[in-house]
Short mmCIF file of all heavy atoms in Angstrom, two decimals:
data_model
loop_
_atom_site.label_atom_id
_atom_site.label_comp_id
_atom_site.label_asym_id
_atom_site.label_seq_id
_atom_site.Cartn_x
_atom_site.Cartn_y
_atom_site.Cartn_z
N ARG V 1479 0.35 -50.61 19.24
CA ARG V 1479 -0.61 -50.44 18.06
C ARG V 1479 -1.55 -49.16 18.31
O ARG V 1479 -1.74 -48.45 17.39
CB ARG V 1479 -1.45 -51.70 17.86
CG ARG V 1479 -0.93 -52.60 16.90
CD ARG V 1479 -1.76 -53.75 16.68
NE ARG V 1479 -1.16 -55.03 17.16
CZ ARG V 1479 -1.91 -56.02 17.64
NH1 ARG V 1479 -3.15 -55.92 17.67
NH2 ARG V 1479 -1.21 -57.08 18.04
N LEU V 1482 0.47 -46.33 17.49
CA LEU V 1482 0.76 -46.16 16.08
C LEU V 1482 -0.59 -45.55 15.43
O LEU V 1482 -0.57 -44.73 14.49
CB LEU V 1482 1.00 -47.59 15.32
CG LEU V 1482 1.21 -47.48 13.91
CD1 LEU V 1482 2.58 -46.75 13.55
CD2 LEU V 1482 1.33 -48.94 13.31
N VAL V 1486 -0.86 -42.26 13.14
CA VAL V 1486 -1.42 -42.29 11.73
C VAL V 1486 -2.46 -41.21 11.68
O VAL V 1486 -2.58 -40.43 10.60
CB VAL V 1486 -2.12 -43.53 11.38
CG1 VAL V 1486 -2.80 -43.54 10.03
CG2 VAL V 1486 -0.98 -44.67 11.24
N PHE V 1487 -3.23 -40.94 12.66
CA PHE V 1487 -4.28 -39.87 12.71
C PHE V 1487 -3.57 -38.49 12.78
O PHE V 1487 -4.04 -37.62 12.15
CB PHE V 1487 -5.21 -40.06 13.91
CG PHE V 1487 -6.44 -40.91 13.65
CD1 PHE V 1487 -6.37 -42.19 14.16
CD2 PHE V 1487 -7.40 -40.46 12.73
CE1 PHE V 1487 -7.47 -43.03 13.80
CE2 PHE V 1487 -8.50 -41.27 12.54
CZ PHE V 1487 -8.52 -42.63 13.05
N PRO V 1490 -1.66 -36.84 8.87
CA PRO V 1490 -2.16 -35.93 7.76
C PRO V 1490 -1.87 -34.45 8.16
O PRO V 1490 -1.33 -33.65 7.48
CB PRO V 1490 -3.56 -36.15 7.71
CG PRO V 1490 -3.84 -37.53 8.31
CD PRO V 1490 -2.69 -37.74 9.29
N LEU V 1493 1.84 -33.75 8.22
CA LEU V 1493 2.41 -33.54 6.90
C LEU V 1493 1.98 -32.22 6.19
O LEU V 1493 2.91 -31.57 5.71
CB LEU V 1493 1.89 -34.76 6.06
CG LEU V 1493 2.77 -35.96 6.05
CD1 LEU V 1493 2.19 -37.01 5.21
CD2 LEU V 1493 4.30 -35.69 5.55
N LEU V 1494 0.75 -31.84 6.50
CA LEU V 1494 0.17 -30.71 5.94
C LEU V 1494 1.04 -29.50 6.46
O LEU V 1494 1.37 -28.57 5.77
CB LEU V 1494 -1.28 -30.46 6.18
CG LEU V 1494 -2.19 -31.23 5.36
CD1 LEU V 1494 -3.67 -31.10 5.66
CD2 LEU V 1494 -2.09 -30.84 3.83
N MET V 1498 2.86 -27.10 4.14
CA MET V 1498 2.37 -25.77 3.97
C MET V 1498 3.12 -24.71 4.74
O MET V 1498 3.20 -23.54 4.34
CB MET V 1498 0.89 -25.74 4.50
CG MET V 1498 0.00 -26.59 3.78
SD MET V 1498 -0.14 -26.22 2.07
CE MET V 1498 -1.43 -27.24 1.50
N ARG V 1515 16.90 -9.23 -9.65
CA ARG V 1515 15.62 -8.58 -9.74
C ARG V 1515 14.60 -9.44 -10.30
O ARG V 1515 14.81 -10.25 -11.21
CB ARG V 1515 15.78 -7.33 -10.72
CG ARG V 1515 16.70 -6.32 -10.14
CD ARG V 1515 16.18 -5.70 -8.93
NE ARG V 1515 17.28 -4.88 -8.34
CZ ARG V 1515 17.16 -4.22 -7.22
NH1 ARG V 1515 16.15 -4.41 -6.47
NH2 ARG V 1515 18.16 -3.55 -6.74
N GLY V 1516 13.32 -9.31 -9.85
CA GLY V 1516 12.19 -10.10 -10.40
C GLY V 1516 12.43 -11.57 -10.28
O GLY V 1516 12.88 -12.06 -9.25
N ALA V 1517 12.26 -12.32 -11.41
CA ALA V 1517 12.34 -13.77 -11.47
C ALA V 1517 13.77 -14.09 -11.66
O ALA V 1517 14.10 -15.33 -11.65
CB ALA V 1517 11.36 -14.21 -12.41
N GLN V 1518 14.67 -13.22 -12.10
CA GLN V 1518 16.00 -13.59 -12.42
C GLN V 1518 16.84 -13.67 -11.18
O GLN V 1518 17.54 -12.67 -10.85
CB GLN V 1518 16.56 -12.63 -13.45
CG GLN V 1518 15.81 -12.63 -14.72
CD GLN V 1518 15.14 -11.28 -15.04
OE1 GLN V 1518 15.79 -10.27 -14.70
NE2 GLN V 1518 14.13 -11.21 -15.54
N LEU V 1519 16.82 -14.76 -10.36
CA LEU V 1519 17.51 -14.86 -9.15
C LEU V 1519 18.78 -15.79 -9.23
O LEU V 1519 18.64 -16.81 -10.01
CB LEU V 1519 16.55 -15.27 -8.06
CG LEU V 1519 15.59 -14.28 -7.62
CD1 LEU V 1519 14.50 -15.01 -6.72
CD2 LEU V 1519 16.14 -13.14 -6.89
N ARG V 1531 23.89 -6.64 3.53
CA ARG V 1531 23.28 -5.48 2.97
C ARG V 1531 22.44 -4.78 3.94
O ARG V 1531 22.41 -3.55 4.07
CB ARG V 1531 22.45 -5.87 1.75
CG ARG V 1531 21.66 -4.78 1.14
CD ARG V 1531 20.76 -5.44 0.06
NE ARG V 1531 19.75 -4.52 -0.43
CZ ARG V 1531 19.95 -3.79 -1.49
NH1 ARG V 1531 21.10 -3.81 -2.17
NH2 ARG V 1531 19.04 -2.97 -1.86
N ASP V 1535 21.79 -0.73 5.51
CA ASP V 1535 20.49 -0.10 5.01
C ASP V 1535 19.91 0.81 6.07
O ASP V 1535 19.30 0.30 7.06
CB ASP V 1535 19.55 -1.30 4.65
CG ASP V 1535 18.28 -0.73 3.88
OD1 ASP V 1535 18.12 0.55 3.97
OD2 ASP V 1535 17.46 -1.58 3.47
N ARG V 1598 -7.69 8.02 10.55
CA ARG V 1598 -7.02 9.00 9.69
C ARG V 1598 -7.89 10.19 9.50
O ARG V 1598 -7.46 11.39 9.58
CB ARG V 1598 -6.71 8.39 8.29
CG ARG V 1598 -5.54 8.96 7.72
CD ARG V 1598 -5.10 8.23 6.50
NE ARG V 1598 -6.09 8.42 5.42
CZ ARG V 1598 -5.99 7.82 4.27
NH1 ARG V 1598 -5.01 6.88 4.03
NH2 ARG V 1598 -6.84 8.03 3.32
N ALA V 1602 -7.12 14.09 11.01
CA ALA V 1602 -6.79 14.99 9.92
C ALA V 1602 -6.65 16.39 10.54
O ALA V 1602 -7.13 16.68 11.61
CB ALA V 1602 -7.86 14.99 8.89
N THR V 1603 -6.03 17.22 9.76
CA THR V 1603 -5.77 18.62 10.25
C THR V 1603 -7.10 19.31 10.66
O THR V 1603 -7.27 20.04 11.58
CB THR V 1603 -5.13 19.49 9.26
OG1 THR V 1603 -4.36 18.58 8.41
CG2 THR V 1603 -4.25 20.53 9.90
N ASP V 1604 -8.23 19.05 9.74
CA ASP V 1604 -9.47 19.63 10.17
C ASP V 1604 -10.42 18.49 10.69
O ASP V 1604 -11.59 18.54 10.44
CB ASP V 1604 -10.09 20.26 8.96
CG ASP V 1604 -10.18 19.39 7.66
OD1 ASP V 1604 -9.66 18.25 7.78
OD2 ASP V 1604 -10.86 19.75 6.70
N ASN V 1622 -0.98 19.21 13.06
CA ASN V 1622 -0.79 18.32 11.92
C ASN V 1622 -0.47 16.89 12.39
O ASN V 1622 0.74 16.55 12.24
CB ASN V 1622 0.21 18.91 11.00
CG ASN V 1622 0.21 18.26 9.73
OD1 ASN V 1622 -0.43 17.26 9.42
ND2 ASN V 1622 1.04 18.86 8.73
N LEU V 1624 -0.77 13.71 11.48
CA LEU V 1624 -0.12 12.75 10.53
C LEU V 1624 1.12 13.25 9.82
O LEU V 1624 1.78 12.56 9.18
CB LEU V 1624 -1.18 12.14 9.58
CG LEU V 1624 -2.41 11.53 10.34
CD1 LEU V 1624 -3.43 11.20 9.32
CD2 LEU V 1624 -1.85 10.21 11.11
N GLY V 1625 1.31 14.68 9.93
CA GLY V 1625 2.35 15.16 9.07
C GLY V 1625 3.72 15.37 9.88
O GLY V 1625 4.69 15.84 9.32
N PRO V 1714 5.49 10.75 7.91
CA PRO V 1714 6.28 11.47 6.95
C PRO V 1714 7.63 11.02 6.80
O PRO V 1714 8.23 10.60 7.80
CB PRO V 1714 6.29 12.88 7.51
CG PRO V 1714 6.12 12.77 8.94
CD PRO V 1714 5.38 11.58 9.19
N ALA V 1715 8.18 10.92 5.60
CA ALA V 1715 9.51 10.55 5.30
C ALA V 1715 9.98 9.24 5.97
O ALA V 1715 10.94 9.11 6.55
CB ALA V 1715 10.55 11.67 5.69
N TYR V 1716 9.10 8.19 5.81
CA TYR V 1716 9.35 6.81 6.38
C TYR V 1716 9.45 6.73 7.87
O TYR V 1716 9.64 5.69 8.39
CB TYR V 1716 10.74 6.32 5.81
CG TYR V 1716 10.77 5.85 4.36
CD1 TYR V 1716 11.28 6.78 3.38
CD2 TYR V 1716 10.32 4.72 3.97
CE1 TYR V 1716 11.30 6.34 2.06
CE2 TYR V 1716 10.33 4.26 2.75
CZ TYR V 1716 10.82 5.01 1.72
OH TYR V 1716 10.90 4.72 0.48
N GLU V 1727 7.30 -2.84 0.89
CA GLU V 1727 7.77 -1.93 -0.16
C GLU V 1727 8.87 -2.56 -0.97
O GLU V 1727 8.80 -2.35 -2.14
CB GLU V 1727 8.32 -0.71 0.61
CG GLU V 1727 7.33 0.14 1.40
CD GLU V 1727 6.86 1.30 0.65
OE1 GLU V 1727 7.58 1.91 -0.04
OE2 GLU V 1727 5.57 1.49 0.70
N PHE V 1730 6.87 -5.31 -3.37
CA PHE V 1730 5.86 -4.94 -4.18
C PHE V 1730 5.76 -3.54 -4.73
O PHE V 1730 5.12 -3.20 -5.74
CB PHE V 1730 4.45 -5.31 -3.62
CG PHE V 1730 4.34 -6.76 -3.53
CD1 PHE V 1730 4.41 -7.38 -2.25
CD2 PHE V 1730 4.28 -7.71 -4.62
CE1 PHE V 1730 4.21 -8.82 -2.09
CE2 PHE V 1730 4.18 -8.92 -4.42
CZ PHE V 1730 4.19 -9.57 -3.15
N VAL V 1731 6.27 -2.54 -3.93
CA VAL V 1731 6.19 -1.18 -4.45
C VAL V 1731 7.41 -0.75 -5.17
O VAL V 1731 7.26 -0.18 -6.22
CB VAL V 1731 6.00 -0.25 -3.21
CG1 VAL V 1731 5.89 1.19 -3.67
CG2 VAL V 1731 4.78 -0.52 -2.44
N GLN V 1732 8.58 -1.08 -4.59
CA GLN V 1732 9.86 -0.74 -5.32
C GLN V 1732 10.08 -1.84 -6.34
O GLN V 1732 9.22 -2.74 -6.45
CB GLN V 1732 10.90 -0.64 -4.36
CG GLN V 1732 10.61 0.47 -3.29
CD GLN V 1732 11.76 0.68 -2.33
OE1 GLN V 1732 12.73 -0.11 -2.30
NE2 GLN V 1732 11.76 1.72 -1.57
N ASN V 1733 11.26 -1.80 -7.00
CA ASN V 1733 11.64 -2.89 -7.80
C ASN V 1733 11.74 -4.16 -6.94
O ASN V 1733 12.41 -4.11 -5.95
CB ASN V 1733 13.12 -2.67 -8.42
CG ASN V 1733 12.87 -1.90 -9.75
OD1 ASN V 1733 12.87 -2.51 -10.78
ND2 ASN V 1733 12.75 -0.58 -9.54
N PRO V 1734 11.05 -5.27 -7.36
CA PRO V 1734 10.96 -6.46 -6.53
C PRO V 1734 12.42 -6.97 -6.17
O PRO V 1734 13.11 -7.25 -7.04
CB PRO V 1734 10.09 -7.46 -7.28
CG PRO V 1734 10.16 -6.89 -8.67
CD PRO V 1734 10.38 -5.35 -8.65
N PHE V 1736 13.12 -9.94 -3.98
CA PHE V 1736 12.56 -10.95 -2.96
C PHE V 1736 13.63 -11.54 -2.12
O PHE V 1736 13.38 -11.88 -0.96
CB PHE V 1736 11.82 -11.97 -3.80
CG PHE V 1736 10.58 -11.44 -4.43
CD1 PHE V 1736 10.51 -11.18 -5.73
CD2 PHE V 1736 9.44 -11.23 -3.49
CE1 PHE V 1736 9.35 -10.62 -6.31
CE2 PHE V 1736 8.33 -10.66 -4.17
CZ PHE V 1736 8.17 -10.47 -5.45
N MET O 512 -7.88 -54.40 14.10
CA MET O 512 -7.03 -53.37 14.30
C MET O 512 -6.41 -52.90 12.97
O MET O 512 -6.15 -51.85 12.60
CB MET O 512 -5.85 -53.70 15.23
CG MET O 512 -4.98 -52.65 15.69
SD MET O 512 -5.91 -51.26 16.41
CE MET O 512 -6.26 -51.89 18.04
N MET O 516 -6.26 -49.40 11.06
CA MET O 516 -5.18 -48.65 10.53
C MET O 516 -5.19 -48.40 9.12
O MET O 516 -4.83 -47.28 8.54
CB MET O 516 -3.92 -49.52 10.81
CG MET O 516 -3.42 -49.36 12.31
SD MET O 516 -2.13 -50.47 12.70
CE MET O 516 -0.87 -50.09 11.47
N ALA O 519 -7.41 -45.57 8.62
CA ALA O 519 -6.76 -44.31 9.10
C ALA O 519 -5.80 -43.80 8.03
O ALA O 519 -5.80 -42.63 7.64
CB ALA O 519 -6.01 -44.55 10.37
N SER O 520 -5.06 -44.71 7.39
CA SER O 520 -4.12 -44.30 6.38
C SER O 520 -4.90 -43.77 5.18
O SER O 520 -4.50 -42.73 4.60
CB SER O 520 -3.21 -45.51 5.90
OG SER O 520 -3.31 -46.50 6.75
N GLY O 523 -6.02 -40.45 5.95
CA GLY O 523 -4.89 -39.48 5.96
C GLY O 523 -4.51 -39.05 4.54
O GLY O 523 -4.40 -37.87 4.16
N ILE O 527 -4.74 -35.27 2.54
CA ILE O 527 -3.58 -34.59 1.95
C ILE O 527 -3.86 -34.34 0.48
O ILE O 527 -3.66 -33.29 -0.08
CB ILE O 527 -2.30 -35.40 2.09
CG1 ILE O 527 -2.01 -35.45 3.59
CG2 ILE O 527 -1.15 -34.77 1.32
CD1 ILE O 527 -0.80 -36.38 3.98
N ALA O 530 -6.35 -31.61 0.03
CA ALA O 530 -5.75 -30.27 0.42
C ALA O 530 -4.85 -29.79 -0.70
O ALA O 530 -4.83 -28.60 -0.99
CB ALA O 530 -5.00 -30.38 1.78
N LEU O 531 -3.97 -30.66 -1.13
CA LEU O 531 -3.00 -30.30 -2.14
C LEU O 531 -3.72 -29.97 -3.45
O LEU O 531 -3.26 -29.09 -4.08
CB LEU O 531 -2.06 -31.42 -2.34
CG LEU O 531 -0.98 -31.62 -1.19
CD1 LEU O 531 0.13 -32.66 -1.54
CD2 LEU O 531 -0.40 -30.33 -0.77
N CYS O 534 -4.57 -26.44 -3.68
CA CYS O 534 -3.52 -25.44 -3.89
C CYS O 534 -3.22 -25.34 -5.38
O CYS O 534 -2.82 -24.22 -5.90
CB CYS O 534 -2.18 -25.81 -3.24
SG CYS O 534 -2.39 -26.34 -1.58
N THR O 597 0.49 -7.20 -8.05
CA THR O 597 0.87 -8.38 -7.14
C THR O 597 0.75 -9.62 -7.99
O THR O 597 1.54 -10.56 -7.98
CB THR O 597 -0.07 -8.43 -5.96
OG1 THR O 597 -0.19 -7.08 -5.38
CG2 THR O 597 0.54 -9.36 -4.93
N THR O 600 3.55 -9.95 -10.50
CA THR O 600 4.80 -10.36 -9.79
C THR O 600 4.71 -11.78 -9.46
O THR O 600 5.71 -12.59 -9.74
CB THR O 600 4.91 -9.51 -8.53
OG1 THR O 600 4.75 -8.16 -8.81
CG2 THR O 600 6.24 -9.75 -7.85
N ALA O 603 4.91 -14.08 -12.60
CA ALA O 603 6.29 -14.09 -13.27
C ALA O 603 7.14 -14.90 -12.37
O ALA O 603 8.02 -15.65 -12.94
CB ALA O 603 6.76 -12.69 -13.43
N GLN O 604 7.05 -14.72 -11.22
CA GLN O 604 7.91 -15.42 -10.15
C GLN O 604 7.66 -16.93 -10.15
O GLN O 604 8.68 -17.71 -10.09
CB GLN O 604 7.59 -14.92 -8.68
CG GLN O 604 8.64 -14.98 -7.80
CD GLN O 604 9.71 -13.95 -8.02
OE1 GLN O 604 9.47 -12.89 -8.68
NE2 GLN O 604 10.93 -14.20 -7.74
N LYS O 624 9.56 -0.50 -14.83
CA LYS O 624 9.97 -1.40 -13.66
C LYS O 624 9.55 -2.84 -14.16
O LYS O 624 10.39 -3.81 -14.00
CB LYS O 624 9.25 -1.04 -12.44
CG LYS O 624 9.49 -1.94 -11.28
CD LYS O 624 8.83 -1.30 -10.02
CE LYS O 624 7.42 -1.86 -9.93
NZ LYS O 624 6.77 -1.56 -8.65
N ASN O 628 11.98 -5.91 -15.23
CA ASN O 628 12.05 -7.13 -14.24
C ASN O 628 11.43 -8.33 -14.82
O ASN O 628 11.87 -9.58 -14.50
CB ASN O 628 11.42 -6.68 -13.00
CG ASN O 628 12.26 -5.79 -12.12
OD1 ASN O 628 13.42 -5.92 -12.01
ND2 ASN O 628 11.71 -4.71 -11.69
N TYR O 629 10.35 -8.16 -15.54
CA TYR O 629 9.68 -9.36 -16.00
C TYR O 629 9.33 -9.24 -17.52
O TYR O 629 8.20 -9.27 -17.95
CB TYR O 629 8.27 -9.45 -15.25
CG TYR O 629 8.43 -9.43 -13.78
CD1 TYR O 629 7.87 -8.48 -12.97
CD2 TYR O 629 9.12 -10.53 -13.16
CE1 TYR O 629 8.00 -8.49 -11.56
CE2 TYR O 629 9.24 -10.61 -11.73
CZ TYR O 629 8.77 -9.51 -10.98
OH TYR O 629 8.82 -9.56 -9.65
N PRO O 630 10.34 -9.19 -18.29
CA PRO O 630 10.17 -9.09 -19.88
C PRO O 630 9.19 -10.30 -20.34
O PRO O 630 8.55 -10.15 -21.37
CB PRO O 630 11.56 -9.14 -20.43
CG PRO O 630 12.44 -9.71 -19.39
CD PRO O 630 11.78 -9.39 -18.03
N GLU O 631 9.25 -11.43 -19.62
CA GLU O 631 8.50 -12.53 -20.11
C GLU O 631 7.02 -12.43 -20.12
O GLU O 631 6.32 -13.16 -20.55
CB GLU O 631 8.86 -13.77 -19.22
CG GLU O 631 8.58 -13.83 -17.87
CD GLU O 631 9.72 -13.20 -16.92
OE1 GLU O 631 10.33 -12.27 -17.45
OE2 GLU O 631 9.76 -13.58 -15.78
N ASN O 769 -2.68 16.01 4.55
CA ASN O 769 -2.01 14.74 4.82
C ASN O 769 -2.50 13.50 4.01
O ASN O 769 -1.95 12.55 4.01
CB ASN O 769 -2.29 14.42 6.25
CG ASN O 769 -1.33 15.27 7.14
OD1 ASN O 769 -0.21 15.42 6.83
ND2 ASN O 769 -1.90 15.87 8.12
N ASP O 772 -7.95 12.33 0.31
CA ASP O 772 -9.28 12.75 0.65
C ASP O 772 -9.26 14.25 0.99
O ASP O 772 -10.06 14.99 0.62
CB ASP O 772 -10.02 11.96 1.74
CG ASP O 772 -9.44 10.60 1.94
OD1 ASP O 772 -8.74 10.15 0.96
OD2 ASP O 772 -9.58 10.01 2.94
N GLU O 773 -8.31 14.66 1.86
CA GLU O 773 -8.09 15.96 2.26
C GLU O 773 -7.81 16.89 1.11
O GLU O 773 -8.35 18.02 1.06
CB GLU O 773 -7.09 16.19 3.43
CG GLU O 773 -7.53 15.78 4.80
CD GLU O 773 -6.43 16.09 5.79
OE1 GLU O 773 -6.24 17.33 6.10
OE2 GLU O 773 -5.69 15.25 6.26
N ALA O 909 13.51 2.55 -14.51
CA ALA O 909 12.80 1.44 -13.81
C ALA O 909 12.77 1.74 -12.29
O ALA O 909 11.98 1.01 -11.63
CB ALA O 909 13.66 0.18 -14.02
N TYR O 910 13.55 2.61 -11.79
CA TYR O 910 13.57 2.88 -10.41
C TYR O 910 12.74 4.12 -10.05
O TYR O 910 13.09 4.80 -9.06
CB TYR O 910 15.01 2.97 -9.95
CG TYR O 910 15.65 1.62 -9.89
CD1 TYR O 910 16.20 1.14 -11.14
CD2 TYR O 910 15.67 0.75 -8.82
CE1 TYR O 910 16.76 -0.15 -11.18
CE2 TYR O 910 16.14 -0.42 -8.86
CZ TYR O 910 16.84 -0.90 -10.03
OH TYR O 910 17.36 -2.14 -10.05
N TYR O 912 9.84 4.56 -8.57
CA TYR O 912 9.26 4.58 -7.32
C TYR O 912 10.32 4.82 -6.15
O TYR O 912 10.02 5.56 -5.20
CB TYR O 912 8.40 3.29 -6.95
CG TYR O 912 7.14 3.26 -7.80
CD1 TYR O 912 7.06 2.58 -9.02
CD2 TYR O 912 6.00 3.92 -7.37
CE1 TYR O 912 5.91 2.48 -9.76
CE2 TYR O 912 4.84 3.90 -8.06
CZ TYR O 912 4.74 3.20 -9.30
OH TYR O 912 3.52 3.25 -10.06
N GLU O 913 11.51 4.19 -6.35
CA GLU O 913 12.48 4.44 -5.40
C GLU O 913 12.92 5.88 -5.34
O GLU O 913 13.11 6.52 -4.31
CB GLU O 913 13.73 3.57 -5.68
CG GLU O 913 13.67 2.13 -5.28
CD GLU O 913 12.91 1.32 -6.37
OE1 GLU O 913 12.28 1.87 -7.33
OE2 GLU O 913 13.12 0.04 -6.30
N ASP O 916 10.09 8.11 -3.92
CA ASP O 916 10.02 8.02 -2.45
C ASP O 916 11.16 8.68 -1.78
O ASP O 916 11.08 9.42 -0.71
CB ASP O 916 9.97 6.55 -1.97
CG ASP O 916 8.52 5.98 -2.36
OD1 ASP O 916 7.68 6.78 -2.82
OD2 ASP O 916 8.43 4.68 -2.26
N ALA O 920 10.94 12.04 0.73
CA ALA O 920 11.54 12.05 2.10
C ALA O 920 12.40 13.25 2.15
O ALA O 920 12.40 14.00 3.21
CB ALA O 920 12.21 10.77 2.40
N THR O 923 10.40 16.47 2.79
CA THR O 923 9.93 16.53 4.07
C THR O 923 11.12 17.13 5.00
O THR O 923 10.95 17.98 5.76
CB THR O 923 9.48 15.24 4.53
OG1 THR O 923 8.61 14.75 3.60
CG2 THR O 923 8.71 15.44 5.92
N PHE O 944 21.61 2.77 -3.37
CA PHE O 944 21.56 1.59 -2.47
C PHE O 944 20.52 0.60 -3.06
O PHE O 944 20.80 -0.55 -3.13
CB PHE O 944 21.32 1.97 -1.10
CG PHE O 944 21.42 0.78 -0.09
CD1 PHE O 944 22.58 0.33 0.34
CD2 PHE O 944 20.20 0.18 0.24
CE1 PHE O 944 22.64 -0.76 1.14
CE2 PHE O 944 20.25 -0.92 1.16
CZ PHE O 944 21.50 -1.41 1.54
N ALA O 945 19.37 1.18 -3.30
CA ALA O 945 18.25 0.28 -3.78
C ALA O 945 18.60 -0.38 -5.18
O ALA O 945 18.01 -1.54 -5.46
CB ALA O 945 16.90 0.97 -3.88
N MET O 946 19.42 0.26 -5.93
CA MET O 946 19.67 -0.25 -7.22
C MET O 946 20.86 -1.33 -7.18
O MET O 946 21.02 -1.95 -8.27
CB MET O 946 20.17 0.89 -8.20
CG MET O 946 19.02 1.81 -8.55
SD MET O 946 19.52 3.29 -9.48
CE MET O 946 19.83 2.62 -11.07
N GLN O 947 21.52 -1.44 -6.08
CA GLN O 947 22.56 -2.35 -6.10
C GLN O 947 22.09 -3.86 -6.20
O GLN O 947 21.11 -4.20 -5.73
CB GLN O 947 23.25 -2.35 -4.57
CG GLN O 947 24.28 -1.28 -4.51
CD GLN O 947 24.69 -1.05 -3.08
OE1 GLN O 947 24.58 -1.93 -2.27
NE2 GLN O 947 25.16 0.20 -2.72
#
Side-chain angles (χ1 to χ4, degrees):
Chain V
R1479 262 185 250 150
L1482 183 67
V1486 171
F1487 273 105
L1493 271 179
L1494 282 178
M1498 301 291 185
R1515 297 292 170 190
Q1518 298 117 37
L1519 290 170
R1531 175 189 170 91
D1535 186 350
R1598 211 171 70 186
T1603 332
D1604 55 354
N1622 190 354
L1624 301 171
Y1716 284 101
E1727 294 263 319
F1730 293 109
V1731 179
Q1732 303 182 346
N1733 273 265
F1736 290 104
Chain O
M512 188 59 72
M516 275 171 57
S520 348
I527 295 174
L531 292 182
C534 313
T597 317
T600 308
Q604 207 71 28
K624 177 179 92 171
N628 287 312
Y629 304 119
E631 65 272 29
N769 287 313
D772 338 336
E773 277 187 77
Y910 289 84
Y912 288 96
E913 283 85 342
D916 289 352
T923 311
F944 182 81
M946 290 174 74
Q947 277 171 26

